[in-house]
Protein backbone atom coordinates (compact mmCIF):
# COMPACT_ATOMS: atom_id res chain seq x y z
CA UNK A 1 0.00 0.00 0.00
CA UNK A 2 1.25 3.47 -0.83
CA UNK A 3 -0.48 6.66 0.23
CA UNK A 4 0.44 10.02 -1.21
CA UNK A 5 -0.70 13.59 -1.45
CA UNK A 6 0.20 15.19 -4.75
CA UNK A 7 3.78 14.16 -5.46
CA UNK A 8 4.52 13.65 -1.78
CA UNK A 9 4.89 10.14 -0.34
CA UNK A 10 2.92 9.86 2.93
CA UNK A 11 3.06 6.24 4.00
CA UNK A 12 3.52 2.72 2.77
CA UNK A 13 3.32 -0.82 4.03
CA UNK A 14 3.84 -4.35 2.74
CA UNK A 15 2.77 -7.69 4.03
CA UNK A 16 2.49 -11.33 3.03
CA UNK A 17 -0.33 -13.38 4.54
CA UNK A 18 -2.14 -16.70 4.03
CA UNK A 19 -4.90 -16.34 1.46
CA UNK A 20 -7.69 -16.63 4.05
CA UNK A 21 -6.39 -13.46 5.75
CA UNK A 22 -6.12 -11.40 2.57
CA UNK A 23 -9.42 -9.51 2.85
CA UNK A 24 -8.92 -8.51 6.47
CA UNK A 25 -5.37 -7.42 5.68
CA UNK A 26 -6.51 -5.20 2.83
CA UNK A 27 -8.94 -3.45 5.20
CA UNK A 28 -6.22 -2.92 7.80
CA UNK A 29 -3.80 -1.47 5.27
CA UNK A 30 -6.39 0.90 3.88
CA UNK A 31 -7.07 2.25 7.37
CA UNK A 32 -3.42 3.13 8.12
CA UNK A 33 -3.13 6.56 6.50
CA UNK A 34 -6.17 7.71 8.47
CA UNK A 35 -4.70 6.26 11.65
CA UNK A 36 -1.52 8.26 11.11
CA UNK A 37 -3.53 11.46 10.96
CA UNK A 38 -2.33 12.21 7.43
CA UNK A 39 -4.69 13.19 4.69
CA UNK A 40 -3.81 11.29 1.54
CA UNK A 41 -5.47 12.09 -1.77
CA UNK A 42 -4.33 8.83 -3.35
CA UNK A 43 -3.94 5.28 -2.02
CA UNK A 44 -2.55 2.56 -4.28
CA UNK A 45 -3.00 -0.98 -3.02
CA UNK A 46 -1.57 -3.93 -4.91
CA UNK A 47 -2.70 -7.42 -4.00
CA UNK A 48 -0.63 -10.18 -5.51
CA UNK A 49 -0.77 -13.98 -5.31
CA UNK A 50 2.57 -15.60 -4.50
CA UNK A 51 3.61 -19.14 -5.27
CA UNK A 52 4.07 -20.81 -1.88
CA UNK A 53 7.04 -22.80 -3.15
CA UNK A 54 9.15 -19.70 -3.71
CA UNK A 55 8.74 -18.47 -0.12
CA UNK A 56 11.80 -18.40 2.13
CA UNK A 57 11.13 -18.80 5.85
CA UNK A 58 13.35 -16.89 8.25
CA UNK A 59 13.51 -16.17 11.97
CA UNK A 60 13.05 -12.60 13.19
CA UNK A 61 16.20 -10.81 14.28
CA UNK A 62 16.74 -10.62 18.04
CA UNK A 63 15.48 -7.30 19.43
CA UNK A 64 17.03 -4.89 21.93
CA UNK A 65 15.76 -1.45 22.93
CA UNK A 66 18.00 1.41 24.03
CA UNK A 67 16.58 4.55 25.62
CA UNK A 68 18.42 7.85 25.70
CA UNK A 69 17.65 11.17 27.30
CA UNK A 70 18.28 13.10 24.08
CA UNK A 71 18.60 12.73 20.32
CA UNK A 72 22.37 13.37 20.15
CA UNK A 73 23.59 10.30 22.09
CA UNK A 74 20.95 8.06 20.44
CA UNK A 75 22.17 9.06 16.97
CA UNK A 76 25.78 8.60 18.05
CA UNK A 77 24.95 5.05 19.18
CA UNK A 78 23.19 4.41 15.84
CA UNK A 79 26.38 5.43 14.08
CA UNK A 80 28.52 3.13 16.28
CA UNK A 81 26.18 0.19 15.65
CA UNK A 82 26.51 0.66 11.89
CA UNK A 83 30.28 0.78 12.13
CA UNK A 84 30.25 -2.33 14.33
CA UNK A 85 28.24 -4.05 11.58
CA UNK A 86 30.91 -3.31 8.96
CA UNK A 87 29.83 0.07 7.53
CA UNK A 88 32.60 2.67 7.08
CA UNK A 89 32.34 5.89 9.13
CA UNK A 90 31.89 7.88 5.91
CA UNK A 91 29.03 5.67 4.66
CA UNK A 92 27.41 5.65 8.13
CA UNK A 93 27.41 9.46 8.14
CA UNK A 94 25.80 9.55 4.68
CA UNK A 95 23.16 7.01 5.75
CA UNK A 96 22.29 9.05 8.83
CA UNK A 97 22.01 12.17 6.69
CA UNK A 98 19.70 10.31 4.32
CA UNK A 99 17.25 9.32 7.07
CA UNK A 100 17.11 12.94 8.22
CA UNK A 101 15.71 14.15 4.90
CA UNK A 102 12.27 14.42 3.35
CA UNK A 103 10.95 10.85 3.03
CA UNK A 104 10.92 8.91 -0.22
CA UNK A 105 8.79 5.81 -0.85
CA UNK A 106 11.58 3.23 -0.68
CA UNK A 107 14.93 2.46 0.93
CA UNK A 108 18.14 4.09 -0.25
CA UNK A 109 20.83 1.57 -1.20
CA UNK A 110 24.26 2.82 -0.20
CA UNK A 111 27.78 1.53 -0.83
CA UNK A 112 28.93 0.37 2.63
CA UNK A 113 32.42 1.77 1.98
CA UNK A 114 31.90 5.08 0.14
CA UNK A 115 28.24 5.80 1.00
CA UNK A 116 27.46 6.39 -2.71
CA UNK A 117 23.81 5.81 -3.72
CA UNK A 118 23.56 2.63 -5.80
CA UNK A 119 19.82 2.34 -6.43
CA UNK A 120 18.71 3.31 -9.93
CA UNK A 121 15.96 5.81 -8.95
CA UNK A 122 17.21 7.99 -6.10
CA UNK A 123 13.95 9.95 -5.87
CA UNK A 124 12.06 6.71 -5.17
CA UNK A 125 14.53 4.26 -3.60
CA UNK A 126 13.82 0.55 -3.48
CA UNK A 127 10.59 -0.70 -1.92
CA UNK A 128 11.15 -3.82 0.13
CA UNK A 129 8.12 -5.93 -0.73
CA UNK A 130 6.82 -9.48 -0.36
CA UNK A 131 7.50 -9.88 3.32
CA UNK A 132 5.21 -10.75 6.19
CA UNK A 133 4.75 -12.66 9.42
CA UNK A 134 3.42 -16.16 9.81
CA UNK A 135 0.35 -15.47 12.01
CA UNK A 136 1.56 -17.52 14.99
CA UNK A 137 5.04 -16.07 14.96
CA UNK A 138 3.53 -12.60 14.72
CA UNK A 139 1.29 -13.19 17.74
CA UNK A 140 4.24 -14.53 19.75
CA UNK A 141 6.42 -11.58 18.74
CA UNK A 142 3.68 -9.07 19.60
CA UNK A 143 3.42 -10.65 23.09
CA UNK A 144 7.19 -10.65 23.61
CA UNK A 145 7.50 -7.00 22.52
CA UNK A 146 4.53 -5.95 24.67
CA UNK A 147 6.21 -7.47 27.73
CA UNK A 148 9.10 -5.10 27.17
CA UNK A 149 6.73 -2.15 26.69
CA UNK A 150 6.80 -2.01 22.85
CA UNK A 151 3.23 -1.94 21.56
CA UNK A 152 3.16 0.08 18.34
CA UNK A 153 2.40 -1.76 15.09
CA UNK A 154 5.32 0.08 13.48
CA UNK A 155 7.76 -1.96 15.51
CA UNK A 156 6.38 -5.33 14.41
CA UNK A 157 6.19 -4.30 10.73
CA UNK A 158 9.69 -2.83 10.78
CA UNK A 159 11.07 -5.97 12.43
CA UNK A 160 9.72 -8.13 9.58
CA UNK A 161 11.29 -5.83 7.00
CA UNK A 162 14.62 -5.73 8.83
CA UNK A 163 14.59 -9.52 9.20
CA UNK A 164 14.20 -9.86 5.42
CA UNK A 165 16.80 -7.18 4.69
CA UNK A 166 19.34 -8.89 6.98
CA UNK A 167 19.04 -12.06 4.82
CA UNK A 168 19.53 -10.19 1.54
CA UNK A 169 23.32 -10.03 1.70
CA UNK A 170 23.15 -6.42 2.96
CA UNK A 171 25.84 -5.34 5.45
CA UNK A 172 23.47 -3.30 7.66
CA UNK A 173 20.41 -1.07 7.69
CA UNK A 174 19.32 2.06 9.49
CA UNK A 175 15.80 3.51 9.74
CA UNK A 176 14.00 6.43 11.26
CA UNK A 177 10.24 6.87 11.07
CA UNK A 178 8.77 9.71 9.04
CA UNK A 179 5.82 9.84 11.46
CA UNK A 180 6.32 13.15 13.32
CA UNK A 181 5.01 11.59 16.54
CA UNK A 182 7.08 8.38 16.40
CA UNK A 183 10.53 8.96 17.84
CA UNK A 184 12.06 5.46 17.72
CA UNK A 185 14.41 4.29 15.00
CA UNK A 186 16.69 1.30 14.63
CA UNK A 187 19.95 -0.05 13.31
CA UNK A 188 19.99 -3.68 12.20
CA UNK A 189 22.30 -6.33 10.82
CA UNK A 190 23.00 -10.03 11.21
CA UNK A 191 25.76 -9.08 13.59
CA UNK A 192 23.91 -6.75 15.98
CA UNK A 193 20.31 -7.93 15.47
CA UNK A 194 17.52 -5.31 15.59
CA UNK A 195 18.49 -2.49 17.93
CA UNK A 196 15.74 0.07 18.63
CA UNK A 197 16.86 3.51 19.74
CA UNK A 198 14.72 6.28 21.26
CA UNK A 199 14.60 9.21 20.60
CA UNK A 200 16.29 9.53 17.21
CA UNK A 201 14.46 12.75 16.40
CA UNK A 202 12.59 15.61 18.01
CA UNK A 203 8.77 15.43 18.10
CA UNK A 204 7.05 17.13 15.15
CA UNK A 205 9.79 16.26 12.67
CA UNK A 206 8.34 14.53 9.58
CA UNK A 207 11.71 13.63 8.07
CA UNK A 208 12.73 9.99 8.01
CA UNK A 209 13.74 7.07 5.84
CA UNK A 210 15.60 3.81 5.51
CA UNK A 211 19.14 3.21 4.23
CA UNK A 212 20.53 -0.22 3.37
CA UNK A 213 24.30 -0.59 3.14
CA UNK A 214 25.70 -3.13 0.68
CA UNK A 215 28.94 -4.29 -0.86
CA UNK A 216 29.02 -2.49 -4.22
CA UNK A 217 29.43 -5.64 -6.29
CA UNK A 218 26.41 -7.22 -4.59
CA UNK A 219 24.03 -4.27 -5.01
CA UNK A 220 22.05 -5.78 -7.86
CA UNK A 221 21.58 -9.14 -6.16
CA UNK A 222 20.51 -7.46 -2.91
CA UNK A 223 18.00 -5.21 -4.69
CA UNK A 224 16.43 -8.11 -6.54
CA UNK A 225 16.15 -10.09 -3.29
CA UNK A 226 14.53 -7.12 -1.51
CA UNK A 227 11.96 -6.54 -4.23
CA UNK A 228 11.25 -10.04 -5.51
CA UNK A 229 11.94 -12.78 -3.03
CA UNK A 230 8.93 -13.67 -0.89
CA UNK A 231 9.97 -14.01 2.75
CA UNK A 232 7.83 -15.14 5.66
CA UNK A 233 9.07 -14.55 9.18
CA UNK A 234 7.99 -17.74 10.87
CA UNK A 235 9.83 -17.59 14.22
CA UNK A 236 9.85 -14.69 16.70
CA UNK A 237 13.11 -13.07 17.74
CA UNK A 238 14.23 -12.91 21.36
CA UNK A 239 13.53 -9.59 23.10
CA UNK A 240 16.27 -8.42 25.45
CA UNK A 241 17.43 -5.28 27.18
C1 LIG B 1 8.18 3.33 10.37
O1 LIG B 1 7.32 2.50 10.22
O2 LIG B 1 7.94 4.50 10.16
C2 LIG B 1 9.55 2.89 10.82
C3 LIG B 1 9.56 2.51 12.24
C4 LIG B 1 10.95 2.37 12.80
C5 LIG B 1 11.06 2.00 14.27
C6 LIG B 1 10.27 0.80 14.64
C7 LIG B 1 10.42 0.37 16.09
O3 LIG B 1 9.80 0.94 16.97
O4 LIG B 1 11.13 -0.62 16.35
MG1 LIG C 1 6.41 4.95 6.88
Amino acid sequence: MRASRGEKHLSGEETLVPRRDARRTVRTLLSRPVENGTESDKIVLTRERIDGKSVREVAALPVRSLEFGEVGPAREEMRSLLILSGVSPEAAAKGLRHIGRRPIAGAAILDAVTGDRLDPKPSKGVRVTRVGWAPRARAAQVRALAKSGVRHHRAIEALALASKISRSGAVAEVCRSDDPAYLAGYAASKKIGYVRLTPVKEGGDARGGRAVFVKRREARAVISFLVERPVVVDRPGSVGA
Side-chain angles (χ1 to χ4, degrees):
M1 176 278 292
R2 279 180 293 120
S4 55
R5 187 181 178 85
E7 290 296 294
K8 194 170 176 256
H9 165 75
L10 288 178
S11 71
E13 194 169 325
E14 319 295 330
T15 191
L16 192 86
V17 295
R19 200 155 154 203
R20 61 176 178 279
D21 294 336
R23 243 172 217 256
R24 179 153 38 104
T25 305
V26 164
R27 273 201 304 276
T28 308
L29 288 175
L30 288 174
S31 73
R32 292 279 205 245
V34 177
E35 186 182 314
N36 293 349
T38 47
E39 260 187 84
S40 52
D41 52 23
K42 185 173 165 189
I43 297 175
V44 178
L45 191 130
T46 309
R47 181 180 159 182
E48 189 188 6
R49 192 149 141 193
I50 300 276
D51 173 11
K53 288 197 282 292
S54 64
V55 172
R56 170 143 171 220
E57 293 170 329
V58 305
L61 288 171
V63 180
R64 281 189 295 144
S65 293
L66 305 175
E67 307 266 341
F68 297 82
E70 307 169 53
V71 174
R75 283 175 58 93
E76 192 44 46
E77 182 63 21
M78 234 179 184
R79 201 178 87 86
S80 307
L81 289 165
L82 291 175
I83 294 170
L84 189 65
S85 303
V87 175
S88 78
E90 189 186 348
K94 287 189 182 164
L96 291 177
R97 272 207 295 280
H98 173 77
I99 63 168
R101 295 204 187 101
R102 197 164 75 84
I104 56 173
I109 310 295
L110 268 52
D111 182 319
V113 177
T114 63
D116 293 343
R117 275 297 283 277
L118 300 176
D119 44 316
K121 290 189 193 145
S123 64
K124 291 202 157 68
V126 169
R127 278 195 73 83
V128 183
T129 54
R130 301 184 177 173
V131 53
W133 284 96
R136 251 192 230 184
R138 184 191 176 96
Q141 189 74 70
V142 165
R143 280 196 302 275
L145 286 171
K147 256 192 208 167
S148 77
V150 181
R151 290 193 174 78
H152 203 285
H153 74 81
R154 287 188 181 282
I156 191 101
E157 310 311 342
L159 178 57
L161 240 64
S163 300
K164 175 173 180 177
I165 292 170
S166 71
R167 264 58 166 218
S168 67
V171 175
E173 179 206 348
V174 69
C175 172
R176 183 175 107 157
S177 185
D178 51 14
D179 179 340
Y182 199 78
L183 308 185
Y186 67 87
S189 70
K190 261 193 178 159
K191 183 152 183 198
I192 60 168
Y194 181 93
V195 185
R196 312 180 60 249
L197 304 106
T198 317
V200 291
K201 67 175 177 186
E202 308 291 348
D205 186 345
R207 293 170 301 177
R210 172 174 274 118
V212 177
F213 302 88
V214 302
K215 294 192 179 116
R216 187 178 282 256
R217 63 174 185 282
E218 292 173 9
R220 232 188 239 231
V222 171
I223 292 172
S224 95
F225 184 95
L226 295 179
V227 176
E228 283 155 30
R229 187 71 197 257
V231 169
V232 167
V233 186
D234 71 342
R235 281 152 285 162
S238 61
V239 180

